[in-house]
Amino acid sequence: MSEIEYKIRKDGNPVMFAAESESEPLDTDMVLDEYPYIQEAMYKENYRLKNLLCMVFDEIVFENKVVGFATYDIRDNFEFMMTECYILPEFRGKRLFFDEICKMHLIAPRFGILQPTRNVIELLLDYAFAKYATEDIVVSAIDLYLDPFDVKSDDGEECYGLHAPPSNFYDFSICSTLFIHNDEVFYHSLLNNDCLRGLQRKKLDADYFDNIRKVFSKNCVEFEKLIGELKKELPSNNLGYDVIVGYGEGLSEYMQGMVDENIISYERAVEIREQLIKEYQSGEIDDSNIEERFDMLSLSQEVIIDDFNELKDLVNSGELYDESGISEFLVAVAGDDDKFGNELLNAVSTGNGDEFQDLMFNHLELDEAFLKEILDFDEYAMDYERSVIEIEKELQNKYRLDDANYKGDYPKNYDWEIYTVLHALNYGDNYYDALTGVYFDSLVSLDELTNLLIKSEFIKKDGIIKVDWVNDKSNCPVPYLKRILNNNSLETEGTKDELIKRLVDNNVTLGDSFNITSKGKNHLKKFVWIGYYEHFLYEFDFIDFCRYRETHQGNIKEISLSYLDEHIKLAKESSDEYYLEECLDAKEEILEEADMFLSDLNTLE
C-alpha cells in the first residue's frame, strides 16, 4: 500500500480560502483537486457532497497534515453556515470536528450548521453542544439551518425558496432538523449520506405531526430554557463596549485597527461609533451583543439614512452599495416627490409591508408616469420569468425517456388541463379562478377547454360569477381593475374609486359560472394520478410519464418507481449528478409519502 502524500502545513495553521464575491462562489470539487487523497477517501466511503459550491473552504489540520475540510456559506454577510465537513477516517475521534466548531463559533459573527446529518448531531451530543429533550428530540446550542431549496411542511407541500430562521431542534426518528412555526412543522428530505448509513425515518403521517405539535406546545418553556443553558456553555470571547467603542474621545484601539487594516474607512468607523454609542445608551444593545452589532454594521457597510433626500444623493453618487436593489427602486419610482419618497422609505425601514403596498397602489391611481415605471418593471420581471420557464423546459426535455421505448405515436390530449380545472371546481373555486390554474401552461385555448368540458358533460352552467366590486373587490390593486375593464372593452382611465364605479355601473361580472357534475367527479377520481404526478414528478415531462404509465403494468406507485429507475439508469450513464439527485429525491419522497398522499386523494368528494 502506497504511503499517503498529505498536504503539509509546516506552521500547523490551516489555510482558509474565500470566494471573491457571492456571484463567484468556490467550486468545492475543484478545490479538492488539490487534495487527491481526501477525494479518494470520500469516494471509498461513498461520501457525496450535497453542496457543491461554497463561500469559504477551511482546511482541518492535525500534526501539520491536512486531514479534512469544512465548507461554509455566508448569509446576509455575517451568518456563517457549515455546509460540508469531512475528516479522514483514521483521524476521527481526535476532537477535530469539536475544534472546528469552536473556532468558527469564536471568529464568525453568527455560526450554524446547514442540514446536519444524524452523525453530526451525535457528535454535538458527544461534545455537550446538544442534549436530548425527549427520546427522539435533540436540542442543540449550535444553530441548525434548513436548506431553503429543500424545505417541506406537514401539509405535504414543498416550500421552495423558504428562508426559515435557524432552529435548535433535531428529530432522530426522521433524521431531520425541525422548525416549528404557528403549529406548522417544517423539515427536510432524508439526506443522501444518512441513506448511505442505512438510516430510515418514521412514517410521516398525521399522527407523527400531531404528536410533534403536542410535544412542542407542552414543552416550549422547558425547551427554550434548555437552549439558553446550552448556549451559555458555548466558548465565548465576546468583546464588550469598553473594547469595541472605548471611553475616550477618538476611535478605540479595536476600531482603529479595523481602519488600519482597510476593513472599514475612517469616516465609516466614526459613523459606526456614534451609532453604537446611541444604541448602547438607549438600551437597544449591551455588552452581550455589541460585537455582533458592530460586525453587522461594518461587514454589511450599512448606512444610516435619515430621509429620502439623503438616500437619493447616495444612490445618484454611486456611493451606496445595495445588493437588494430596493434603494435604486425607491429613488426611481419616487423621483422628485420627496414626500412620497419619505413615506416609502419609512415603510421599508420599519418593515411595514402593508403600508408599503397601500402607498404603491394609491400612487398608481394618481400617477400615470409611475404606472409606466411599474409596467416597465413588470416587463423585465416577465422576461426573467420567461427565461426561467425556458430553463425548466430544458430540464423537462432532459427528464424524458427515449421515445424508442414506446410503440406508435402518443395522441395529443388535454388530460392535465381538464383535471386541473375540475380539481379546482371540486374544492370550491369559481370557474374564473379555476381557469387561472391553467392559463399560462395550457396546450389549448381557454374557450376551447370550456367547450370540451361542456361537451364531455363534466361541468354544467349555473348562472354567472357576480362580483361585489365595492365590498369584496375594493382591495384589488388598480392594475387588476384596469385589466378587467379592458377585457370588457371599457375605459381604463381614472382613480380607483372611478374604476370601481365604472365596473358597478356596467354590471361587470367574471363570466359564466359552472359547477362540476357527477360525471366530472367520476372523471376526477379516474385521473387522480395526475395529482400524484404534480406532487411527486413535476420535474419530469408530463407526456413522457403519460406514455410510460399507459405502457406499463402496476398501480401508480409501482409504475412511478419503475419510471424513476429508468431515469436513474440514464442519469448514471450520462454521469449527470444533478439529474441523478433529482431522481433519487423524487424516489425517496414517493417511498415516504405516496401511501398517505394517495389515501388523501382518494377521499375526493
Side-chain angles (χ1 to χ4, degrees):
M1 181 176 178
S2 59
E3 186 176 346
I4 296 175
E5 294 184 9
Y6 295 100
K7 187 174 282 291
I8 302 298
R9 299 301 176 200
K10 292 182 180 179
D11 58 4
N13 295 321
V15 174
M16 183 180 287
F17 304 96
E20 292 185 3
S21 67
E22 289 188 22
S23 61
E24 298 180 80
L26 298 175
D27 185 319
T28 305
D29 273 330
M30 290 183 65
V31 178
L32 284 173
D33 286 342
E34 299 296 319
Y35 312 84
Y37 58 97
I38 294 180
Q39 286 181 317
E40 183 178 352
M42 291 170 63
Y43 178 78
K44 287 180 179 177
E45 286 195 284
N46 206 7
Y47 181 95
R48 290 188 294 187
L49 294 172
K50 177 175 174 60
N51 303 277
L52 302 177
L53 303 175
C54 66
M55 294 302 295
V56 174
F57 180 98
D58 189 27
E59 293 178 342
I60 294 176
V61 174
F62 180 74
E63 295 181 348
N64 297 355
K65 301 172 183 175
V66 179
V67 299
F69 70 93
T71 61
Y72 298 88
D73 196 3
I74 302 176
R75 181 183 294 177
D76 297 331
N77 289 322
F78 66 98
E79 290 180 321
F80 279 65
M81 291 179 286
M82 179 184 285
T83 53
E84 301 283 348
C85 187
Y86 182 83
I87 298 171
L88 294 173
E90 57 269 32
F91 292 93
R92 294 171 192 167
K94 301 183 184 298
R95 295 174 71 84
L96 296 177
F97 181 62
F98 173 86
D99 292 340
E100 181 70 17
I101 288 178
C102 290
K103 179 178 75 174
M104 293 306 297
H105 179 71
L106 291 173
I107 69 173
R110 187 176 296 169
F111 169 69
I113 303 175
L114 180 68
Q115 288 192 186
T117 61
R118 178 175 177 138
N119 181 57
V120 168
I121 298 298
E122 289 169 347
L123 287 173
L124 294 182
L125 285 167
D126 290 343
Y127 298 145
F129 288 141
K131 285 185 179 180
Y132 280 101
T134 69
E135 183 179 352
D136 293 314
I137 303 296
V138 171
V139 174
S140 168
I142 305 295
D143 290 340
L144 310 177
Y145 289 83
L146 287 165
D147 185 336
F149 303 108
D150 181 23
V151 185
K152 303 179 182 182
S153 74
D154 55 354
D155 61 6
E157 295 295 323
E158 297 277 351
C159 305
Y160 193 81
L162 173 66
H163 287 269
S167 171
N168 297 93
F169 301 100
Y170 185 91
D171 187 352
F172 270 145
S173 73
I174 65 168
C175 298
S176 175
T177 296
L178 290 181
F179 173 64
I180 317 294
H181 179 67
N182 291 338
D183 282 340
E184 190 168 5
V185 183
F186 297 90
Y187 62 102
H188 59 71
S189 303
L190 188 60
L191 302 175
N192 287 333
N193 289 311
D194 279 340
C195 292
L196 293 172
R197 293 180 65 199
L199 298 176
Q200 297 180 344
R201 60 176 28 166
K202 180 187 289 187
K203 187 176 181 181
L204 291 165
D205 55 16
D207 289 341
Y208 168 77
F209 291 114
D210 287 343
N211 181 61
I212 285 293
R213 279 188 283 269
K214 289 176 184 176
V215 168
F216 276 83
S217 176
K218 181 180 178 181
N219 300 289
C220 60
V221 175
E222 289 79 4
F223 286 176
E224 289 300 320
K225 182 179 178 182
L226 183 53
I227 292 172
E229 292 172 354
L230 285 167
K231 284 186 177 291
K232 285 180 182 178
E233 299 301 317
L234 288 172
S236 174
N237 65 348
N238 282 349
L239 303 178
Y241 181 89
D242 57 337
V243 175
I244 300 292
V245 176
Y247 294 101
E249 291 297 323
L251 295 179
S252 65
E253 289 186 13
Y254 182 84
M255 294 184 73
Q256 186 61 52
M258 292 287 187
V259 173
D260 293 342
E261 293 177 20
N262 294 319
I263 295 175
I264 55 176
S265 67
Y266 175 79
E267 292 77 13
R268 181 71 183 126
V270 172
E271 288 180 1
I272 293 174
R273 180 180 183 274
E274 293 174 354
Q275 181 70 15
L276 292 176
I277 292 173
K278 178 181 174 183
E279 293 178 3
Y280 190 83
Q281 291 176 346
S282 66
E284 295 177 55
I285 57 175
D286 54 32
D287 284 331
S288 68
N289 59 11
I290 189 171
E291 183 180 7
E292 181 179 316
R293 177 60 173 156
F294 171 79
D295 287 333
M296 187 181 77
L297 290 172
S298 60
L299 289 172
S300 65
Q301 295 294 294
E302 179 178 313
V303 177
I304 313 303
I305 299 172
D306 295 324
D307 61 33
F308 179 68
N309 267 325
E310 186 179 349
L311 175 69
K312 188 161 53 175
D313 290 343
L314 283 168
V315 169
N316 292 335
S317 69
E319 295 176 4
L320 179 65
Y321 173 68
D322 179 2
E323 188 176 4
S324 69
I326 188 66
S327 299
E328 289 84 353
F329 180 74
L330 293 181
V331 171
V333 298
D336 295 326
D337 189 342
D338 292 345
K339 180 177 181 296
F340 179 51
N342 276 311
E343 289 173 343
L344 286 177
L345 179 60
N346 180 65
V348 170
S349 301
T350 58
N352 193 331
D354 291 337
E355 181 185 353
F356 182 80
Q357 188 177 39
D358 289 343
L359 286 167
M360 297 284 276
F361 287 156
N362 290 336
H363 207 76
L364 272 170
E365 59 188 60
L366 298 174
D367 191 339
E368 289 301 318
F370 180 68
L371 175 60
K372 185 177 184 303
E373 290 273 3
I374 296 298
L375 291 176
D376 288 344
F377 180 79
D378 283 348
E379 186 63 33
Y380 170 80
M382 289 171 64
D383 287 340
Y384 174 76
E385 184 175 345
R386 279 192 287 268
S387 68
V388 171
I389 291 172
E390 288 172 4
I391 292 171
E392 289 177 348
K393 286 185 176 178
E394 285 180 12
L395 288 176
Q396 288 179 343
N397 289 336
K398 180 164 65 173
Y399 299 162
R400 182 179 288 130
L401 300 179
D402 189 346
D403 286 347
N405 291 336
Y406 313 109
K407 295 180 179 179
D409 294 327
Y410 189 81
K412 192 174 185 180
N413 69 78
Y414 308 116
D415 290 342
W416 175 81
E417 289 87 346
I418 291 172
Y419 175 87
T420 302
V421 172
L422 292 180
H423 185 269
L425 287 177
N426 189 60
Y427 277 91
D429 287 356
N430 65 50
Y431 191 67
Y432 179 87
D433 291 337
L435 283 179
T436 62
V438 300
Y439 182 78
F440 290 105
D441 297 321
S442 179
L443 298 173
V444 62
S445 74
L446 299 188
D447 287 340
E448 288 177 307
L449 180 58
T450 298
N451 291 332
L452 179 60
L453 289 165
I454 294 173
K455 185 176 180 180
S456 302
E457 298 180 348
F458 293 155
I459 60 174
K460 63 179 179 182
K461 191 172 179 179
D462 182 33
I464 58 175
I465 305 173
K466 295 182 178 180
V467 181
D468 183 349
W469 293 107
V470 175
N471 297 314
D472 294 345
K473 295 292 185 179
S474 60
N475 291 325
C476 284
V478 170
Y480 173 87
L481 301 175
K482 289 187 175 184
R483 186 167 66 247
I484 299 297
L485 286 165
N486 185 63
N487 290 343
N488 286 271
S489 301
L490 294 171
E491 177 63 44
T492 61
E493 300 298 322
T495 66
K496 187 173 186 177
D497 288 341
E498 289 171 341
L499 300 182
I500 290 176
K501 185 177 185 303
R502 196 170 300 140
L503 289 164
V504 173
D505 291 345
N506 289 276
N507 296 315
V508 174
T509 72
L510 292 180
D512 292 332
S513 175
F514 291 92
N515 290 331
I516 185 173
T517 65
S518 57
K519 190 172 181 180
K521 290 187 177 184
N522 289 334
H523 181 86
L524 199 55
K525 291 178 181 178
K526 179 181 177 183
F527 284 83
V528 76
W529 62 269
I530 294 179
Y532 179 96
Y533 159 82
E534 288 185 328
H535 187 83
F536 295 109
L537 299 167
Y538 58 90
E539 289 277 8
F540 299 83
D541 184 75
F542 178 66
I543 299 299
D544 185 58
F545 181 65
C546 290
R547 288 169 165 171
Y548 191 89
R549 177 180 167 273
E550 293 197 352
T551 55
H552 290 77
Q553 299 296 317
N555 60 40
I556 185 64
K557 181 179 177 181
E558 292 168 342
I559 289 174
S560 62
L561 290 174
S562 173
Y563 175 73
L564 286 172
D565 285 339
E566 294 274 2
H567 277 282
I568 289 170
K569 181 180 177 182
L570 285 178
K572 288 180 177 178
E573 289 174 355
S574 59
S575 299
D576 190 329
E577 292 184 9
Y578 181 83
Y579 180 14
L580 179 60
E581 185 175 358
E582 292 295 326
C583 297
L584 292 173
D585 286 348
K587 187 171 182 178
E588 176 197 334
E589 193 168 357
I590 287 172
L591 290 171
E592 291 176 357
E593 302 177 17
D595 292 338
M596 181 173 66
F597 186 84
L598 287 170
S599 175
D600 291 341
L601 282 181
N602 286 327
T603 59
L604 288 170
E605 297 178 0

